[in-house]
Amino acid sequence: MSPRHKNRSPGTESGIPPARKADPQRASSSPRQTISKRSQSISPNPLWEPNPLWDNLSRQWLTRSTLEEFDRRTATRAPLKRPKRSGRKKDCSDQPQLQRLGRRGGPSLRDIRGYPDPRQKPRRFCNMEQVKKSRKRLTAYDPAFEQHLLDNHIFPVHYKLVKPSNLEEINTRLAQRRGSLSPELFPRTIFEDFNRKLPGCNRGADVMSDLVPIIAGNSTFHSGRRYRFSNLASLTDGTIADPEPDLYDGSLPTELDARVRKELEAHIAPSKTMTTPLAPNFFLSVIGMQGLAVLRTRQALHYAAIGARAMNTLRSYGGSNSIGDDGGDAHVIITTFYAGELSIYTMLPVKSTSLERDMDFHLVLLETAHLMDSFQSFVAGIKAFRNAREWAREQRDQAIARANEKAADHRVPNAGISAIATTPTAD
């Protein structure tokens, strides 16, 4: 670690310093001063501009990406050489001598202070939008990711004592009996096979291939795996990576009215293709045995807020937003799995207290099951998972049916999209 980073602590409240120019006196006093390896690898780009993410964080975390951003803002060009004194007299301005000096392009200007080194490559001009898109965006592996969500009013479990008005309905549905999990159809050998495979699932891909089929069972849902939601509008300011859940459930695009789909595309359609399920409201995030446990809550926060926004936009189409100060009903399910622990969450959107946004999001824990403890807890966890998945599909189907009815009520024959009287709004 370079000397200027030794005194920095993880809880530093001050932001990363803005980009600044080098001190000419310091540069001239030590022209051969060496810099750290990290500063050498991050050369100052004339087209680079500071990432606003780091300026907007309420707290800076001492991570590799933070230090890289710090170096990009403080790195300077190599100090210019001290100019040599010219032996020419000040009064040598006669016309013949100037013509003689200018025969081959004039005298060399390399010793003039501030003149660029001709050996350097010329600056290339490009679209600044391309420069912004090429920035490295934050992922759930960085603590600043969770801090960024928190600053944008996407809150984790127990941050505020709120609960959905349909919480009792959800819990009752999760505990509903399932005939497929009876002892005759679901023997104890499945539990033993699960415990045998779990220690070897070091990666998320191993969990998805070996364990998730046991948990999910035979299903007929419209799902997507490891699909990046590149078509959705960002929840914040576009500085965090697009969601990429291990598994999500949605509905076929053909089930939703075409005009509704086009108007709400930025909130409900992960892709522009007609084969990708839209209106996602069920998510699964898995972490391998060698993964980071903290990724569960960070990914659950992000996916849950995406799903809650999609469902709220779909349900409020053609009418007013039903979100109150203390929230309302929840319509999203988020599940996480790590080291045998299956957690089920929902997300409650509430009216924001800030003028900068319409909604705040609160993650609510519904149930946690330790699938390795006993056969009874194993069956109870799988039962809650499968019931939650079916409940999420019912909520999604109801929202789509409601939006289609609103679109039909406002449809005018031989008219285009402008014939729809109202558009979804957020209070």
Side-chain angles (χ1 to χ4, degrees), residues 296 334-338 341-345 365 367-369:
R296 294 180 300 169
I334 310 92
T335 58
T336 64
F337 180 85
Y338 173 73
E341 182 178 287
L342 178 66
S343 299
I344 303 177
Y345 304 86
L365 177 63
E367 184 172 334
T368 298

Side-chain angles (χ1 to χ4, degrees), residues 35-42:
I35 57 178
S36 63
K37 294 182 180 180
R38 182 166 55 249
S39 298
Q40 290 176 353
S41 63
I42 304 176

Side-chain angles (χ1 to χ4, degrees), residues 51-65:
N51 193 332
L53 165 70
W54 305 100
D55 298 321
N56 297 330
L57 286 178
S58 61
R59 182 180 183 182
Q60 299 291 350
W61 294 86
L62 187 58
T63 61
R64 182 179 183 88
S65 57

Side-chain angles (χ1 to χ4, degrees), residues 79-390:
L80 299 175
K81 296 181 179 179
R82 186 185 300 274
K84 297 180 180 180
R85 296 290 182 181
S86 176
R88 295 182 300 160
K89 297 181 180 180
K90 296 181 179 180
D91 57 353
C92 56
S93 58
D94 54 299
Q95 189 69 17
Q97 188 175 3
L98 290 177
Q99 292 177 351
R100 185 169 63 254
L101 290 173
R103 284 183 301 177
R104 296 183 179 179
S108 175
L109 303 179
R110 288 179 295 179
D111 294 332
I112 297 179
R113 186 184 298 275
Y115 186 77
D117 189 345
R119 293 172 295 181
Q120 295 180 354
K121 295 181 180 181
R123 295 184 178 184
R124 296 180 301 170
F125 297 93
C126 66
N127 189 350
M128 290 307 299
E129 292 297 327
Q130 297 178 354
V131 176
K132 294 179 181 178
K133 291 181 180 180
S134 64
R135 290 173 177 164
K136 183 179 179 181
R137 295 194 288 179
L138 277 183
T139 65
Y141 290 89
D142 198 313
F145 180 90
E146 186 174 358
Q147 184 67 50
H148 181 69
L149 295 180
L150 188 63
D151 292 341
N152 285 273
H153 291 209
I154 303 174
F155 302 115
V157 177
H158 303 316
Y159 187 88
K160 185 180 178 181
L161 296 179
V162 296
K163 63 179 182 179
S165 56
N166 61 341
L167 180 61
E168 184 177 354
E169 171 195 342
I170 300 175
N171 289 330
T172 302
R173 184 59 185 275
L174 296 186
Q176 184 176 346
R177 293 187 57 185
R178 299 185 64 89
S180 59
L181 296 178
S182 62
E184 295 79 12
L185 301 177
F186 199 80
R188 189 180 184 87
T189 54
I190 299 179
F191 170 66
E192 297 172 353
D193 183 54
F194 182 89
N195 284 344
R196 181 180 55 83
K197 293 180 178 179
L198 178 59
C201 294
N202 296 323
R203 303 174 304 160
D206 299 331
V207 177
M208 292 297 299
S209 61
D210 296 342
L211 303 182
V212 171
I214 299 177
I215 299 174
N218 297 326
S219 60
T220 57
F221 297 91
H222 301 297
S223 305
R225 289 194 176 190
R226 297 294 298 173
Y227 192 88
R228 186 167 66 92
F229 291 3
S230 58
N231 191 52
L232 296 179
S234 175
L235 278 171
T236 58
D237 55 4
T239 53
I240 59 177
D242 295 328
E244 193 173 348
D246 296 294
L247 174 71
Y248 84 94
D249 291 345
S251 299
L252 292 178
T254 53
E255 297 179 9
L256 184 62
D257 186 274
R259 289 178 293 183
V260 179
R261 186 172 65 243
K262 185 173 183 179
E263 290 187 18
L264 308 184
E265 178 182 5
H267 284 184
I268 66 172
S271 172
K272 291 182 178 293
T273 62
M274 292 296 293
T275 57
T276 305
L278 50 73
N281 73 330
F282 179 88
F283 303 89
L284 171 63
S285 174
V286 300
I287 309 295
M289 295 294 289
Q290 295 182 353
L292 299 176
V294 72
L295 294 179
R296 294 180 300 169
T297 55
R298 295 174 185 172
Q299 292 176 346
L301 268 177
H302 195 195
Y303 303 158
I306 288 289
R309 183 185 65 176
M311 294 302 295
N312 179 72
T313 302
L314 198 58
R315 292 178 62 87
S316 59
Y317 179 81
S320 60
N321 196 328
S322 59
I323 294 179
D325 296 336
D326 296 328
D329 291 345
H331 308 281
V332 179
I333 292 293
I334 310 92
T335 58
T336 64
F337 180 85
Y338 173 73
E341 182 178 287
L342 178 66
S343 299
I344 303 177
Y345 304 86
T346 189
M347 178 64 85
L348 177 64
V350 301
K351 185 178 296 184
S352 179
T353 57
S354 173
L355 298 178
E356 299 178 356
R357 55 188 54 83
D358 298 325
M359 291 181 293
D360 295 344
F361 299 94
H362 293 269
L363 192 65
V364 179
L365 177 63
L366 297 176
E367 184 172 334
T368 298
H370 299 277
L371 304 186
M372 296 184 65
D373 287 354
S374 64
F375 180 64
Q376 289 73 21
S377 62
F378 178 71
V379 174
I382 292 180
K383 176 179 63 177
F385 179 90
R386 297 181 183 181
N387 286 335
R389 197 175 186 185
E390 291 184 354

